[in-house]
Amino acid sequence: MSEAVAGAVAERFEELYGAGPEGVWAAPGRVNLIGEHTDYNDGFVMPFALPHITVAAVSRREDGVLRLHSADIDGGVVELRVDDLAPETDRNWTAYPAGVVWALREAGHPVTGADVHLTSTVPSGAGLSSSAALEVVVALALNDLYELGLKGWQLARLCQRAENVYVGAPTGIMDQTASACCEAGHALFLDTRDLSQKQIPFDLAAEGMRLLVVDTQVKHAHSDGEYGKRRAGCEKGAALLGVDALRDVPYDGLDAALDRLGDEEEVRRLVRHVVTEDERVERVVSLLESGDTRAIGPVLVEGHASLRDDFRISCPELDLVVDTALGAGALGARMTGGGFGGSAIVLAEAADVDTIAKAVQEAFAAADFTAPRVFEAVPAAGARRLS
Ligand code: ADP
Ligand code: MG
């Protein structure tokens, strides 16, 4: 499958740029199993990679020119000069790959230009991290071509810097690390403080279960601002509690911490979500490691309630997915990603999946919501060279 994709992308590259590419690379989108809004609190996350990938054909250039083309965007080849790249000057899709080149050069890596053509099967703006897939595929290609010798986690850091500083989007480190470092058949237990990671076996098919992603197709117009507010609230909580990050509030010290926050009701709710969510990630890790996979269902549901009631970033469509799926027999379900729209995940016995998917579709129709996109997520490989 990937060979055919790589061949087609290389052919299009040759049509655009007059010669074949030096190589073709792929990087996946991701869903987060558990650990939401913990990554900017130095906490734990547990994403896994999707089979949906962004594929890029790339060649080096030595003349300082960066040419970018996406099959998924109307418009032709965009030509930039690497010397001219500057943060927050580009509001288009090209800011993501250009930001990666900028971040590599800022870090002292001698990247002197490139020709890039890419295409993606990662739904864009659905909370499945098409932006990280785009950054990571470009970073990996340049790492290989320019023989930079950077490891996955280092590429992830540079991609995060590209997104935070160059694009101007304040995101944590989870998405890029997931795209760069995940392994097929595993979820990635990542400590976002020191970036230490552990691959946790997560092979649902072998145990008779399946996991659905339900993309609500809702994109909240204010999600960036709300994200910033939550983030600022978490920082305020850490400051009031005298810790570097909310990760440092121990789960068994949560009640005492909440007491200390007194009448800061908003901050108390944010703190409660983050501290309990870190505990839920650790609980899911130990359940999966002890082979008790079905028991993670209720933990996912707890996580959803916490995001809905304490962190307040769910929306009617996401709640409807979760409630309907549970009502139709799912083992667990929760919203995933930044919130205010995007996608939810549903864990279910393989035999129940079709009934659940149908129930969700019907509930959306009855509520007059846009029909959701439902697909199965099989934990897939992280970024890699295809040819
Ligand atoms: P998400 O990462 O959840 O999909 P973001 O808003 O972070 O959503 O990133 C989506 C943006 O990434 C798009 O608006 C576009 O600028 C860029 N992007 C993603 N995929 C592609 C693609 N295949 N071609 C060009 N740009 C893309
Ligand atoms: Mg994104």
Side-chain angles (χ1 to χ4, degrees):
M1 200 283 262
S2 4
E3 262 171 44
V5 174
V9 173
E11 243 171 64
R12 183 73 181 114
F13 181 100
E14 188 164 352
E15 284 170 22
L16 287 164
Y17 299 122
E22 289 184 87
V24 180
W25 289 260
R30 61 96 190 98
V31 287
N32 191 20
L33 182 62
I34 189 83
E36 218 64 78
H37 287 264
T38 47
D39 67 346
Y40 52 83
N41 290 297
D42 277 4
F44 304 127
V45 295
M46 206 176 176
F48 64 88
L50 291 169
H52 304 67
I53 49 178
T54 299
V55 179
V58 184
S59 287
R60 275 168 295 183
R61 295 180 66 101
E62 285 166 7
D63 60 358
V65 170
L66 175 63
R67 295 196 290 183
L68 302 168
H69 184 263
S70 168
D72 311 317
I73 301 278
D74 284 337
V77 173
V78 174
E79 189 167 321
L80 305 165
R81 295 202 54 84
V82 295
D83 284 335
D84 296 341
L85 301 178
E88 299 202 43
T89 53
D90 184 355
R91 291 283 155 226
N92 299 312
W93 73 273
T94 45
Y96 296 89
V100 170
V101 172
W102 172 83
L104 284 166
R105 287 168 56 83
E106 275 270 306
H109 301 295
V111 175
T112 52
D115 285 338
V116 179
H117 163 66
L118 57 91
T119 186
S120 184
T121 56
V122 186
S124 177
L128 303 174
S129 257
S130 68
S131 60
L134 174 51
E135 292 150 10
V136 169
V137 77
V138 171
L140 182 66
L142 297 174
N143 186 46
D144 284 357
L145 289 175
Y146 283 95
E147 295 178 6
L148 304 179
L150 298 168
K151 296 194 170 31
W153 66 268
Q154 292 171 303
L155 293 176
R157 270 271 188 253
L158 287 163
C159 289
Q160 184 198 15
R161 192 162 147 71
E163 188 151 348
N164 289 173
V165 180
Y166 195 91
V167 178
T171 59
I173 188 68
M174 168 172 68
D175 300 350
Q176 293 85 358
T177 311
S179 186
C181 303
C182 279
E183 289 180 10
H186 293 76
L188 180 73
F189 176 37
L190 175 69
D191 180 336
T192 64
R193 170 160 278 169
D194 62 8
L195 297 193
S196 61
Q197 32 176 283
K198 192 172 181 191
Q199 302 287 343
I200 309 291
F202 189 51
D203 185 358
L204 293 171
E207 296 185 61
M209 281 170 282
R210 288 165 70 184
L211 193 139
L212 296 179
V213 175
V214 181
D215 171 8
T216 63
Q217 315 233 41
V218 175
K219 176 119 182 92
H220 195 284
H222 305 297
S223 58
D224 286 353
E226 294 292 337
Y227 179 95
K229 275 192 218 160
R230 299 303 182 285
R231 209 172 157 142
C234 289
E235 278 160 20
K236 182 175 176 189
L240 288 171
L241 292 168
V243 292
D244 285 342
L246 292 184
R247 144 70 174 283
D248 297 311
V249 178
Y251 180 67
D252 59 15
L254 176 60
D255 287 343
L258 294 177
D259 283 348
R260 250 186 300 151
L261 289 170
D263 58 5
E264 292 276 358
E265 199 36 54
E266 172 74 19
V267 176
R268 284 166 57 107
R269 280 202 312 269
L270 299 179
V271 170
R272 188 162 54 212
H273 167 72
V274 173
V275 175
T276 58
E277 185 79 351
D278 272 336
E279 189 274 338
R280 280 186 286 273
V281 178
E282 293 187 286
R283 217 172 343 138
V284 165
V285 170
S286 63
L287 288 169
L288 290 179
E289 286 189 322
S290 61
D292 204 357
T293 307
R294 282 175 176 77
I296 73 172
V299 190
L300 303 184
V301 180
E302 275 174 42
H304 183 77
S306 179
L307 289 164
R308 182 191 59 209
D309 303 335
D310 271 345
F311 223 66
R312 302 199 180 179
I313 57 167
S314 190
C315 65
E317 291 84 353
L318 288 167
D319 292 341
L320 186 62
V321 176
V322 170
D323 295 343
T324 308
L326 294 174
L331 295 162
R334 68 175 201 91
M335 57 157 286
T336 184
F340 305 107
S343 300
I345 55 172
V346 176
L347 177 71
E349 302 291 352
D352 296 336
V353 156
D354 292 343
T355 319
I356 293 168
K358 189 159 171 276
V360 170
Q361 297 281 11
E362 285 171 0
F364 269 57
D368 237 351
F369 292 157
T370 304
R373 209 153 23 143
V374 183
F375 59 89
E376 183 173 2
V378 178
R384 63 221 180 253
R385 188 171 190 152
L386 296 182
S387 69

